[in-house]
Amino acid sequence: YTTINSMMDAAVLELTVYNESKGDSQILSNLEVAADLDAYRNHMAEWSYKNNREVFLADAERDFGRYVFQPFILPGNKVAKSVMVFPITSGGVVTGTLSVISFQKSSFDVYHQEIIRLLLGYISVAIENALTHDELNSTKIRAEQSEKFKEQFLANMSHEIRTPINAVTGMTRLLLEKAPREDQLRY
């Protein structure tokens, strides 16, 4: 955040990562976002995510209607004046958004947009690595559980097979000890 803020007047920097396989999203921000995500929604980030398009608002109070139906009000009732939102893609799929927000009108220009676009490549790779790590970790856990189930199944089957075999061999031994008739020996 401090690096980006030193290059531009960014009061809020917000990274939202969407995990489709888990059906959730995570917000990383320098802003204190309410613990209850329903209380705070970055509608422009949602629009950018759904449409895979960038959003640039030099006068967000006036221009927000092109993207969403309500002004972009941050926690503490602060109104965004300038907004840039960038979709983050990985393998052609939108995996997140990066929102840069200022409380001053016309804070961002083409130079600032290019800076963020350069950073998006690095952010995209980092998100892809994190999601891959999560997926590999989940796969590893499922494999370990599968191995435990297999061991338990084999232990149960071994027990279930041994019990009747022990009964048959025990009864056969008892019969052989009692001088069986010829028909009994044949059986």
PDB file of all heavy atoms in Angstrom, residues 163-173:
ATOM      1  N   THR A 163     -12.563 -64.427  10.907  1.00  0.00           N
ATOM      2  CA  THR A 163     -13.495 -65.016  11.878  1.00  0.00           C
ATOM      3  C   THR A 163     -14.161 -66.283  11.342  1.00  0.00           C
ATOM      4  O   THR A 163     -14.086 -67.339  11.994  1.00  0.00           O
ATOM      5  CB  THR A 163     -14.534 -63.964  12.310  1.00  0.00           C
ATOM      6  OG1 THR A 163     -13.837 -62.851  12.872  1.00  0.00           O
ATOM      7  CG2 THR A 163     -15.497 -64.531  13.337  1.00  0.00           C
ATOM      8  N   PRO A 164     -14.801 -66.256  10.166  1.00  0.00           N
ATOM      9  CA  PRO A 164     -15.421 -67.513   9.694  1.00  0.00           C
ATOM     10  C   PRO A 164     -14.385 -68.581   9.327  1.00  0.00           C
ATOM     11  O   PRO A 164     -14.638 -69.785   9.519  1.00  0.00           O
ATOM     12  CB  PRO A 164     -16.235 -67.096   8.470  1.00  0.00           C
ATOM     13  CG  PRO A 164     -15.819 -65.719   8.125  1.00  0.00           C
ATOM     14  CD  PRO A 164     -15.150 -65.129   9.312  1.00  0.00           C
ATOM     15  N   ILE A 165     -13.233 -68.190   8.824  1.00  0.00           N
ATOM     16  CA  ILE A 165     -12.202 -69.184   8.480  1.00  0.00           C
ATOM     17  C   ILE A 165     -11.722 -69.883   9.744  1.00  0.00           C
ATOM     18  O   ILE A 165     -11.542 -71.114   9.757  1.00  0.00           O
ATOM     19  CB  ILE A 165     -11.036 -68.527   7.712  1.00  0.00           C
ATOM     20  CG1 ILE A 165     -11.501 -68.165   6.302  1.00  0.00           C
ATOM     21  CG2 ILE A 165      -9.822 -69.454   7.661  1.00  0.00           C
ATOM     22  CD1 ILE A 165     -10.465 -67.458   5.474  1.00  0.00           C
ATOM     23  N   ASN A 166     -11.522 -69.134  10.822  1.00  0.00           N
ATOM     24  CA  ASN A 166     -11.106 -69.738  12.092  1.00  0.00           C
ATOM     25  C   ASN A 166     -12.178 -70.702  12.608  1.00  0.00           C
ATOM     26  O   ASN A 166     -11.864 -71.761  13.145  1.00  0.00           O
ATOM     27  CB  ASN A 166     -10.815 -68.670  13.137  1.00  0.00           C
ATOM     28  CG  ASN A 166      -9.503 -67.971  12.882  1.00  0.00           C
ATOM     29  OD1 ASN A 166      -8.628 -68.510  12.211  1.00  0.00           O
ATOM     30  ND2 ASN A 166      -9.362 -66.762  13.406  1.00  0.00           N
ATOM     31  N   ALA A 167     -13.454 -70.334  12.420  1.00  0.00           N
ATOM     32  CA  ALA A 167     -14.539 -71.228  12.866  1.00  0.00           C
ATOM     33  C   ALA A 167     -14.524 -72.530  12.068  1.00  0.00           C
ATOM     34  O   ALA A 167     -14.631 -73.622  12.639  1.00  0.00           O
ATOM     35  CB  ALA A 167     -15.887 -70.519  12.717  1.00  0.00           C
ATOM     36  N   VAL A 168     -14.385 -72.455  10.762  1.00  0.00           N
ATOM     37  CA  VAL A 168     -14.378 -73.648   9.911  1.00  0.00           C
ATOM     38  C   VAL A 168     -13.180 -74.530  10.231  1.00  0.00           C
ATOM     39  O   VAL A 168     -13.310 -75.752  10.403  1.00  0.00           O
ATOM     40  CB  VAL A 168     -14.387 -73.240   8.418  1.00  0.00           C
ATOM     41  CG1 VAL A 168     -14.108 -74.446   7.527  1.00  0.00           C
ATOM     42  CG2 VAL A 168     -15.712 -72.599   8.051  1.00  0.00           C
ATOM     43  N   THR A 169     -11.999 -73.952  10.341  1.00  0.00           N
ATOM     44  CA  THR A 169     -10.804 -74.771  10.631  1.00  0.00           C
ATOM     45  C   THR A 169     -10.882 -75.360  12.033  1.00  0.00           C
ATOM     46  O   THR A 169     -10.452 -76.503  12.259  1.00  0.00           O
ATOM     47  CB  THR A 169      -9.509 -73.952  10.465  1.00  0.00           C
ATOM     48  OG1 THR A 169      -9.572 -72.797  11.286  1.00  0.00           O
ATOM     49  CG2 THR A 169      -9.285 -73.541   9.028  1.00  0.00           C
ATOM     50  N   GLY A 170     -11.428 -74.622  12.988  1.00  0.00           N
ATOM     51  CA  GLY A 170     -11.564 -75.154  14.356  1.00  0.00           C
ATOM     52  C   GLY A 170     -12.508 -76.339  14.409  1.00  0.00           C
ATOM     53  O   GLY A 170     -12.229 -77.367  15.057  1.00  0.00           O
ATOM     54  N   MET A 171     -13.663 -76.236  13.754  1.00  0.00           N
ATOM     55  CA  MET A 171     -14.630 -77.344  13.755  1.00  0.00           C
ATOM     56  C   MET A 171     -14.066 -78.555  13.005  1.00  0.00           C
ATOM     57  O   MET A 171     -14.275 -79.702  13.413  1.00  0.00           O
ATOM     58  CB  MET A 171     -15.952 -76.890  13.134  1.00  0.00           C
ATOM     59  CG  MET A 171     -16.668 -75.866  13.990  1.00  0.00           C
ATOM     60  SD  MET A 171     -18.197 -75.352  13.250  1.00  0.00           S
ATOM     61  CE  MET A 171     -19.303 -76.458  14.066  1.00  0.00           C
ATOM     62  N   THR A 172     -13.343 -78.316  11.929  1.00  0.00           N
ATOM     63  CA  THR A 172     -12.733 -79.418  11.168  1.00  0.00           C
ATOM     64  C   THR A 172     -11.721 -80.153  12.047  1.00  0.00           C
ATOM     65  O   THR A 172     -11.684 -81.392  12.076  1.00  0.00           O
ATOM     66  CB  THR A 172     -12.061 -78.872   9.895  1.00  0.00           C
ATOM     67  OG1 THR A 172     -13.025 -78.170   9.126  1.00  0.00           O
ATOM     68  CG2 THR A 172     -11.460 -79.996   9.062  1.00  0.00           C
ATOM     69  N   ARG A 173     -10.909 -79.408  12.786  1.00  0.00           N
ATOM     70  CA  ARG A 173      -9.925 -80.030  13.669  1.00  0.00           C
ATOM     71  C   ARG A 173     -10.611 -80.867  14.745  1.00  0.00           C
ATOM     72  O   ARG A 173     -10.208 -82.002  15.025  1.00  0.00           O
ATOM     73  CB  ARG A 173      -9.054 -78.940  14.321  1.00  0.00           C
ATOM     74  CG  ARG A 173      -7.897 -79.507  15.140  1.00  0.00           C
ATOM     75  CD  ARG A 173      -6.979 -78.428  15.707  1.00  0.00           C
ATOM     76  NE  ARG A 173      -7.604 -77.185  16.096  1.00  0.00           N
ATOM     77  CZ  ARG A 173      -8.256 -76.959  17.245  1.00  0.00           C
ATOM     78  NH1 ARG A 173      -8.380 -77.922  18.128  1.00  0.00           N
ATOM     79  NH2 ARG A 173      -8.784 -75.795  17.511  1.00  0.00           N
TER      80      ARG A 173
END
